[in-house]
Amino acid sequence: MHGRVKLKSTAQQEEEKRKEREKKLKIYVAARDAIFTKRMEGVLDDEALQLTQQLLSSNPDFATLWNYRREILLHLETVREEDDVQKMYEAELLFLESCLKVNPKSYGSWHHRGWVSARLPRPDWARELGLCDRCLSLDDRNFHCWDYRRMVVKMSGVPVDQELQFTDRLIGSNFSNYSSWHYRSTLLPLLHPESPDPPSPCHQPSHSSPPPSPQTHSHRVCEEQLLKEYELVQNAFFTDPNDQSAWFYYRWLLGRAEREEMISCVFVSREEERVAVAFSRPVNASSSGLMLVLDGQPQRVEWRSVHPHFRHSPVWICALPPGTISDIINEHNLTVHWTEKHTHRDCALYTGRSESWCRDSATDQELFRSELSVEKTSVLQSELQSCNQLLELEPQNKWCLLTIVLLMRALDPLGYERETLSHFQTLKEVDSMRSAYYGDLCSKFMIENTILKMEYAEVRVFSLSDKNLTMLCHLDQLLLVTHINLSCNQLLRLPPQFAMLQCLEVLEADDNAIENLDGLYYLPKLQEVSLKNNQISKLSDLQLLTSCPKLTCLDLRGNPVTQIANIQSELTELLPSVTDLLI
Amino acid sequence: GTQVKDVVIKSDAPSALLLDKHADYIAAYGSKKDDYEYTLSEYLRMSGIYWGLTVMDLMGQLTRMNQQEISDFIKSCQHDCGGVSASIGHDPHVLYTLSAVQILSLYDNVNVLDVDKVVEYVRGLQQEDGSFAGDKWGEIDTRFSFCAVATLALLGRLDAINMDKAVEFVLSCMNFDGGFGCRPGSESHAGQIYCCTGFLSIAGQLHQVNADLLGWWLCERQLPSGGLNGRPEKLPDVCYSWWVLASLKIIGRIHWIDKSKLRSFILACQDEETGGFADRPGDMVDPFHTLFGVAGLSLLGEGQIKDVNPVLCMPEDVLERLGLHPDLLSYSTPLVPAAIVFNRSSSSMS
């Protein structure tokens, strides 16, 4: 089905081809029908083996034939001595080898070989490994072969070290070795695992649990090994700057450390009599064992996520029983327990204070940094230098540009902000197909920088105006923000996640392209909204604003919706409490 | 420096959408039953029928196909164990069980099959570690995890399996690059990524995907020709216009692809003479690539083609009728309706 070129041919050639195919078809159908007949009759003999062999040699994807062969082999196992069974399966392996020569990418052939290897009285795993070596030397991207190799390695206990050396050889000699780098990513954590998590009393050790995957447990590589990897991959892309595999692998190495699972913020408000909780990742409150304790008493509360779209959310809210914290004379101590993760956070609400919160700062949480310890950042510094030198030789190399940006993020996100913006501009030019990606990634980094700056200033006013933002993210970090300015960007919507801004009082989002306000959902403190010069076009786009009880000021000038007939009266009817309406 | 593996689109390659020709191609496809290629592909016939019917439905031409003949055929392909085979005389497998259920869903007639037995068959394929075998012979692959949950979702029977364990297994196949492979440790591949993101969508677990990282890997599939490959250093293929594009749609990052360049590539894969799409410009056409070329164009917003659902690769109006709304991650596209997921079985909602 793949890679069959359409060739033009004469009428005579067409006729010859047709006759040839008709002949082949007849032979094929005869063999197939003979096989099906035998099978239906329950016959399990050598002739069936021969017939299926005939068809499978050229059509190894005909899965039912492999099934039939297995039935025959299983039957023969019961009527033959062990030595004969060994010979029988070895012959099968020989047959499979010839099949694989013809088509090295048939799921059926590889699965059958695995099945045979498992049934051999005396398997020869060294031979199987040799087969893999040969097959990979012909095509080192054949994932069937790599998967088979992984099975052989597991069954025969080949040391991880040896397999790492195997990848060393492949990487050293070949271009297009993504498969080798990928294999390395799975081997490294096995070689130098960090100390495992302390066994938790709540978890049964599950023997059939799959091992942690390299994506979710990238921190499980000890630093010494990590530095060796940096060197190895750096050599690869300096030798060949267009070897994209190495750049992908490098990005993994630079990736953020896995964040500690914790409650990052608790916010309590007397006026709304509610508690908002932000987690380090999306959770489902009902299955996480979320518990609220007020002044030593567990409270029966219902947790809801900030938006019905999200069953899993980083921010959850609950209402306290009326009157429990409303009197400003009383001091209260609140604890939120995340029982599933054996962690909790306290929050004290003092006399005379109408609200309170407790959080770790973004810098304390190491939110946006790489996993390398501070001591080793000199390594990254020299890598940045080398990449900059490479960039001088290859100014259009998008891999190099992007990697420089990632290195700068790892080293000093705020210090390198100007260069980062400049590189993103270049990236959009040299790799224009992916300019939307670069726009979003740059937006993410600018939001991160603003969060970091806000940490140092410790205010609850957040300005993102005029930053070329194409999207919003990290909104879970903005739970405490009271004023936000998103004006003069390229936003198309305020997404549902925007509802995580539970403390928001003033929203400025003028001069964007916003057509959707899904995120303005039950924001209890929101008073002023300015959306001048956007793309709000229907009255229904504004429906959700009715869920914000304190909204009094709304500026919709410069939106298509203002051109609708009777819009003034329609809006007054929809939003009666908005006394300051500008259209 | 190393050359980027890619194709060059000739200036005379097709640039207009030839839907009528494709409909004619598919309508005529099964009728030449003495064709060599057709016979050799009997081992996947059920999927072939699904590809043909789905693309016809997307083009509004489903009525040209023989519903009765197909229903009878499907009925005769269900085995005692409940599973469905690709064709008569072949053995049952989860791949063809899904295709059969998809076909019958198009016709709103799943009761041609013994549905309870289908559910039992699928349930019986789940292993202790949460994975799914393709059939009784035990091959494990995340493709089969997808087939299992997609089948059950269409039948409203997701409660039949251990979903937590199934999710755990799929997540164990997540790689350093955010992608997914066949089994734990397998290299990321766009086809597997489609199956796993589709699976996680049905399971309501898309938040476990690293959408930014995976989205980057996926948008890097786009080559200078505008076409998409399935993994690094491979040639573009029109079927990846589906596997990659649908995955991007599921994780809310479809805008990271250059849509107009991809559209040009897909159109160039048409055969003006015979109708149908090939894997790349100038190659031989087949129903498989025809479906995924048309479905890809649908995801890109082609007006003449019905909206296709990126998780199940079926017309949205069919899923609407069934009440199915698999989760998609939102981004800068309009909001997908709230997390109703599947309304047939209350235990599938959390």
Side-chain angles (χ1 to χ4, degrees), chain B residues 300-313:
Chain B
L300 292 176
E302 191 65 43
Q304 296 176 67
I305 305 169
K306 278 200 211 172
D307 287 342
V308 69
N309 179 272
V311 172
L312 288 158
C313 195

Side-chain angles (χ1 to χ4, degrees), chain A residues 500-516:
Chain A
M500 294 195 273
L501 276 67
Q502 287 288 304
C503 296
L504 194 65
E505 297 169 18
V506 174
L507 165 63
E508 288 178 74
D510 306 320
D511 299 291
N512 279 281
I514 295 170
E515 54 188 27
N516 182 301

Side-chain angles (χ1 to χ4, degrees), chain A residues 87-118:
Chain A
K87 289 205 188 84
M88 178 179 80
Y89 280 127
E90 282 178 356
E92 193 70 2
L93 289 178
L94 219 59
F95 166 52
L96 276 164
E97 217 177 302
S98 65
C99 288
L100 288 171
K101 276 205 179 72
V102 171
N103 183 347
K105 297 186 185 181
S106 169
Y107 286 99
S109 305
W110 287 103
H111 174 247
H112 189 65
R113 193 174 185 97
W115 183 89
V116 168
S117 292

Side-chain angles (χ1 to χ4, degrees), chain A residues 33-62:
Chain A
D33 289 346
I35 291 167
F36 277 173
T37 306
K38 278 174 104 61
R39 192 154 187 241
M40 217 161 32
E41 291 166 359
V43 173
L44 299 166
D45 65 4
D46 272 313
E47 193 193 350
L49 281 177
Q50 302 226 15
L51 285 167
T52 50
Q53 178 166 331
Q54 192 186 322
L55 287 193
L56 284 168
S57 309
S58 53
N59 205 355
D61 293 325
F62 193 150

Side-chain angles (χ1 to χ4, degrees), chain A residues 3-4 6 178-179 240 493, chain B residues 2 177 187 271 279 284 331:
Chain A
R4 295 173 315 155
K6 182 177 174 183
Y178 197 94
S179 306
D240 185 350
R493 67 197 296 228
Chain B
T2 340
D177 45 27
E187 184 184 339
D271 187 319
D279 58 349
M284 302 277 291
Y331 207 83

